[in-house]
Amino acid sequence: MADPTSDVPTPRRLHRARRAVGRAARAARAWRPRHGWPATIALVLAALVASVVFGVTTASVQAALGPHVTRYDVTTDATVTIDFGPLGTLQIDSPLPATLGVRATVQEIPASVTELGEARTLQALSEDLNAYVAFFSGPAAAVQDVAYALVRDAVVRSAVAFVVLVAAWFLLRWLLGPDRRRELVDRLGPHARAWQAAVLVVVVGGTLLTSSVAPGDRPAAPQATSAVFDGTPLAGARVTGRLGGVIDTYGGYAVDAWRANEDFYRSAEDSLVAAWEDRATEEEQAAQEAAQQDAADRAAALHAAPDQDDEGADETSTDRGDGDPDASAQDAEQPEPAATDDPDGAAPSATDDPDGASPSATASPSPTAPPVDPVVLVVVSDLHCNVGMAPLIGRLAELAGADAVLDAGDTTMNGTSVEQYCVTSFARAVPPGVELVTSPGNHDSRETTANYARAGATVLDGGVVEVAGMRILGDRDPNETRVGGGGTASAADETPAEAGRRLAETACDDGEVDLLLVHTPAVGDAALEDGCVPAQVSGHFHRRIGPEQVGLGVRYVSSSTAGATLNQATVGPLSGVAELTVLRFDPESRRIMDYQVVSVAPDTSVTVGERLLWPAIVEPRDEDVPGFGPEDGGTAPGEDAAPEG
């Protein structure tokens, strides 16, 4: 049977639909609550207030405090209390509005942190101290993480409470029925004001009972503040119980370590600024001298040309032999062309001397090509939770005018939940407007990587992303390393070689990948050998390698930005040299122009290296192109000589 509406013209259907919508809109405008708008609005506002109060005062999250798992609960005593159980508490006045406070109940240290083999007591205490020093080096990031988590939990709880109140209201109406509701209204109507006053008393009384007076209105507390924390973020803290004696006896060691850490990285940051300015001055002077020398050479060539014409006039008028003197004189008038800054880096000196010992490798702008506005990248790797380096990363990004910061992985030590403040500290150190891209390493985890993404980082997951005009490909490391947890194991359903082949296929299918960013260098072998990516940046080895040609691309392995050395902590003052690298990318030729290494030494001195040309890609004569790393893609030769952390 045919549909009778199928013959109706489309305009008529649209007209009917518009009429139906109009009727619904008029019905909505004409609707009025049975008890009037004021009563309805008051009821909704009361439900909202009750829901918000419930959500805020019951908000609770689990986060970290140093190496400890800690439970944070919102309170109404206007105090931030850190509860160490039988040891006692540490209290400071709350910065939250009204009388809101927070209670942090310190729990155990996760097994993944303590499983470090058989360690003596002093070694274990030293490791815990390092964790606390790292935490207090970036307390703002940790506090903000907890605050954001509490706000999210409070919003969720408030929304759930509001939905429950609304559902309970309609359920109660349905259970009573219209007759019973009218009967109740008739009985309670004459006493409406009394009922409203009773509800108001209950709300106000409940608020007062669950709150406390503000700090300024309290009687003077007999508890004395601990002088150990003077000059620290915990200045003015009050200590109760046995914890007071522990802090008075041993707290000075932790505070001294924290102060030494702060002084070290503050001095290193000052050295970075001074070294960068010195290098900029040297480059400016070198450019001026080069320009003056070029002008002098041109003037000398023009001055010598007339003399050569006079001396060879007779010969040029009669002799047009094989030597072609006219052509020789004409060639003599042309000055020797200056060295150009090939975006592809066609300068053997840059490849022969990757450490920058050769002055001839210094890049200089081409006099024949218009200057380009390069994309500036700051490369860091293997930070291993050394949040002391975070301010230096941010400052270098500002000094270099960076467009993006590339993190080649191993941002944390063990990928545990208590290391959330590490990734947050690094993410918030990046200046506003500068993008942050990371390829998670084998010491990172999906949990810490998710926290990194929430803090603002772009996490590579096997696809191509466009960052500051560059197309970057990368993925998390296929291996997973846990300290004390059995070493390194596969973290995915594929081997490193399979991951490398997948990335190579993605790059070849895309055809416009500018950079491959992966943690373990060998994972990029296939993409480089196929010529599908012109450049690769990695980390993992804790030492700098290259840039050097591998296959049909150029690979650069960054050293550790935490100064990681064997059997030494990566928090606190540096144990080894920390390195950062500045790359400049030409958006027109879509090639890296040059690189510049910045080194921070354990004595807080900083060395800013010369800009060195990025090596040109040389087409091989046969298939035996030198590279490193076995074909199965697990590790590269020498990895055991450069341990991580």
Side-chain angles (χ1 to χ4, degrees):
M1 181 176 179
D3 186 359
T5 62
S6 60
D7 297 331
V8 178
T10 300
R12 294 185 59 186
R13 292 181 181 176
L14 293 176
H15 180 67
R16 290 180 178 178
R18 284 196 293 267
R19 290 180 60 186
V21 171
R23 285 195 298 268
R26 288 192 295 272
R29 288 195 297 268
W31 181 84
R32 294 291 184 273
R34 178 174 300 178
H35 303 290
W37 281 111
T40 302
I41 293 175
L43 187 62
V44 172
L45 289 178
L48 284 174
V49 170
S51 301
V52 170
V53 170
F54 171 81
V56 170
T57 56
T58 61
S60 179
V61 297
Q62 184 168 286
L65 179 68
H68 296 271
V69 173
T70 304
R71 189 75 184 178
Y72 293 88
D73 299 285
V74 174
T75 63
T76 56
D77 58 1
T79 303
V80 175
T81 302
I82 303 177
D83 186 355
F84 290 91
L87 288 179
T89 64
L90 186 150
Q91 300 175 348
I92 59 176
D93 294 336
S94 174
L96 298 176
T99 60
L100 294 177
V102 175
R103 186 177 189 87
T105 304
V106 178
Q107 300 173 4
E108 75 281 356
I109 299 177
S112 56
V113 177
T114 58
E115 287 176 352
L116 300 175
E118 300 223 354
R120 290 171 301 183
T121 303
L122 290 178
Q123 286 179 315
L125 291 176
S126 175
E127 290 156 0
D128 291 347
L129 178 61
N130 288 330
Y132 282 115
V133 168
F135 170 75
F136 284 109
S137 297
V143 170
Q144 290 176 1
D145 285 338
V146 173
Y148 292 155
L150 287 173
V151 168
R152 288 194 298 268
D153 187 71
V155 170
V156 172
R157 289 173 181 265
S158 299
V160 172
F162 183 77
V163 171
V164 170
L165 287 177
V166 172
W169 170 263
F170 283 103
L171 178 62
L172 181 62
R173 285 174 56 86
W174 177 76
L175 290 175
L176 291 175
D179 296 335
R180 185 60 176 167
R181 291 202 304 270
R182 282 193 295 270
E183 182 181 350
L184 289 175
V185 169
D186 293 338
R187 289 186 178 183
L188 299 179
H191 309 286
R193 292 184 180 276
W195 280 104
Q196 293 173 359
V199 172
L200 182 61
V201 168
V202 170
V203 172
V204 174
T207 303
L208 292 176
L209 289 175
T210 57
S211 301
S212 62
V213 295
D217 300 328
R218 297 178 185 172
Q223 293 176 336
T225 60
S226 176
V228 173
F229 297 117
D230 290 347
T232 73
L234 292 176
R238 301 176 296 276
V239 184
T240 66
R242 297 178 182 178
L243 186 62
V246 174
I247 288 179
D248 290 340
T249 304
Y250 301 104
Y253 295 106
V255 172
D256 289 343
W258 173 79
R259 287 191 175 123
N261 190 72
E262 292 290 293
D263 293 341
F264 178 90
Y265 287 104
R266 188 180 300 111
S267 176
E269 185 176 355
D270 294 339
S271 299
L272 170 62
V273 174
W276 187 269
E277 292 176 349
D278 291 343
R279 173 60 64 184
T281 301
E282 293 176 6
E283 291 178 351
E284 184 178 357
Q285 292 176 351
Q288 292 176 353
E289 292 174 0
Q292 293 173 358
Q293 184 63 39
D294 183 66
D297 292 343
R298 290 177 180 274
L302 293 174
H303 180 71
D307 295 339
Q308 294 176 359
D309 290 343
D310 293 341
E311 293 175 0
D314 294 339
E315 296 180 5
T316 57
S317 60
T318 58
D319 187 3
R320 295 287 182 180
D322 297 338
D324 196 359
D326 280 351
S328 299
Q330 184 178 3
D331 292 341
E333 296 178 2
Q334 302 297 329
E336 183 179 355
T340 61
D341 181 14
D342 188 343
D344 291 337
S349 58
T351 306
D352 295 340
D353 187 10
D355 291 333
S358 174
S360 62
T362 304
S364 58
S366 171
T368 59
V372 298
D373 185 13
V375 176
V376 181
L377 310 169
V378 172
V379 177
V380 299
S381 179
D382 299 274
L383 289 161
H384 288 300
C385 238
N386 186 358
V387 296
M389 286 297 297
L392 278 76
I393 296 172
R395 181 53 60 92
L396 179 59
E398 292 176 352
L399 294 171
D403 298 287
V405 173
L406 306 183
D407 182 351
D410 276 4
T411 312
T412 64
M413 278 293 297
N414 229 25
T416 58
S417 59
V418 298
E419 295 174 283
Q420 175 178 339
Y421 71 94
C422 302
V423 294
T424 305
S425 297
F426 294 128
R428 290 176 181 159
V430 176
V434 178
E435 299 188 64
L436 173 61
V437 185
T438 183
S439 173
N442 53 294
H443 279 269
D444 301 318
S445 67
R446 296 191 181 276
E447 181 178 5
T448 55
T449 300
N451 292 330
Y452 213 2
R454 282 195 291 269
T458 297
V459 178
L460 299 175
D461 59 356
V464 180
V465 299
E466 186 164 336
V467 178
M470 291 184 63
R471 294 181 60 78
I472 301 177
L473 170 66
D475 203 349
R476 68 180 305 106
D477 199 86
N479 285 332
E480 182 178 271
T481 300
R482 295 293 173 261
V483 178
T488 301
S490 177
D493 296 331
E494 57 185 356
T495 65
E498 292 170 343
R501 174 50 53 192
R502 172 174 55 80
L503 290 174
E505 293 175 355
T506 301
C508 293
D509 293 341
D510 183 275
E512 296 182 353
V513 175
D514 300 315
L515 180 68
L516 178 64
L517 180 63
V518 290
H519 179 66
T520 302
V523 174
D525 282 349
L528 292 172
E529 291 169 359
D530 292 347
C532 296
V533 292
Q536 174 189 326
V537 169
S538 298
H540 189 60
F541 290 158
H542 293 186
R543 70 183 188 276
R544 176 161 40 97
I545 303 175
E548 61 183 1
Q549 180 168 343
V550 176
L552 297 176
V554 175
R555 170 187 288 155
Y556 180 74
V557 180
S558 171
S559 183
S560 170
T561 310
T565 56
L566 181 62
N567 295 328
Q568 294 292 329
T570 53
V571 297
L574 294 174
S575 301
V577 177
E579 288 191 353
L580 309 89
T581 306
V582 179
L583 302 179
R584 295 199 306 169
F585 173 82
D586 184 351
E588 296 181 2
S589 64
R590 309 206 68 80
R591 291 292 185 270
I592 296 177
M593 299 165 53
D594 50 47
Y595 69 102
Q596 187 175 25
V597 178
V598 178
S599 304
V600 185
D603 61 356
T604 73
S605 63
V606 176
T607 302
V608 178
E610 298 179 81
R611 282 202 184 103
L612 304 178
L613 288 176
W614 191 259
I617 299 175
V618 180
E619 293 290 338
R621 296 181 181 179
D622 51 40
E623 296 180 354
D624 297 328
V625 179
F628 66 92
E631 290 297 319
D632 58 4
T635 57
E639 183 179 2
D640 55 347
E644 297 189 345

